[in-house]
Amino acid sequence: MRTVTVLIGILVLTGSVAAAQQSSVAAPTATTAMPGWMAGCWVEKSEKAWTEECWTSARGGVMIGSGRTGAGETVRSWEAMQILAEPGGLAFYAAPRGLNRTRFVARADGQGVTFVNPATDYPQRVRYWREGEALLAEISLAYGSRAKRWTGGS
């Protein structure tokens, strides 16, 4: 098994990579509604550290995410992500530092959107949801253990 180190909010914009690696993207349907409510740039700051995550609006069954985390002017890590409407439903792709692009599939979530891949070491689940004006994200093992949560404001 490959270890996937997905730190929510550590991404870089990669529209051309998504297009090149996914030759056909299905049009969204009622069962694969794109999470357009994620669009925008979200920032979480503490006294010394910060996390940023940005998502494009949903267009043509594609959303592209970019982000990074660090302290001061130092970027500690970054990640490229995409959400694609595929024939079987939504898929989330994560590529820490642009490497080892890994696919997670959407599953039902009444609160937001959840993507899972139990074949990875960690994380196996990536969740996004909104609470008021904030975007929340959480990575964990498949059933929620070892959870790390992130809250971003616009």
Side-chain angles (χ1 to χ4, degrees), residues 92-137:
F92 171 84
Y93 290 88
R97 296 195 175 271
L99 304 172
N100 300 320
R101 187 171 184 255
T102 302
R103 182 175 185 261
F104 294 76
V105 296
R107 74 167 194 214
D109 180 347
Q111 189 178 16
V113 62
T114 297
F115 301 95
V116 295
N117 181 341
T120 63
D121 291 340
Y122 187 86
Q124 296 174 333
R125 182 174 80 174
V126 179
R127 295 178 51 219
Y128 288 95
W129 70 100
R130 294 284 300 266
E131 288 184 5
E133 295 296 312
L135 177 69
L136 285 82

Side-chain angles (χ1 to χ4, degrees), residues 2 4-26 34-35 38 53-56 61-67 78-106 113-117 120 123-128 139:
R2 301 186 266 184
V4 178
T5 310
V6 177
L7 298 173
I8 300 303
I10 307 170
L11 341 163
V12 75
L13 192 59
T14 60
S16 60
V17 171
Q21 292 180 341
Q22 184 67 27
S23 59
S24 80
V25 175
M34 297 295 288
M38 288 173 55
E53 182 164 319
C54 296
W55 284 95
T56 63
V62 178
M63 290 180 72
I64 299 173
S66 66
W78 58 272
E79 184 174 23
M81 299 187 301
Q82 302 89 31
I83 297 174
L84 305 176
E86 296 180 344
L90 294 181
F92 171 84
Y93 290 88
R97 296 195 175 271
L99 304 172
N100 300 320
R101 187 171 184 255
T102 302
R103 182 175 185 261
F104 294 76
V105 296
V113 62
T114 297
F115 301 95
V116 295
N117 181 341
T120 63
Q124 296 174 333
R125 182 174 80 174
V126 179
R127 295 178 51 219
Y128 288 95
I139 59 174

Side-chain angles (χ1 to χ4, degrees), residues 18-88:
Q21 292 180 341
Q22 184 67 27
S23 59
S24 80
V25 175
T29 66
T31 58
T32 62
M34 297 295 288
W37 45 265
M38 288 173 55
C41 289
W42 310 91
V43 179
E44 179 180 72
K45 293 181 182 179
S46 67
E47 190 174 309
K48 296 182 180 181
W50 48 266
T51 300
E52 300 171 337
E53 182 164 319
C54 296
W55 284 95
T56 63
S57 60
R59 186 180 303 246
V62 178
M63 290 180 72
I64 299 173
S66 66
R68 56 195 174 172
T69 188
E73 292 298 313
T74 302
V75 174
R76 292 184 183 152
S77 58
W78 58 272
E79 184 174 23
M81 299 187 301
Q82 302 89 31
I83 297 174
L84 305 176
E86 296 180 344

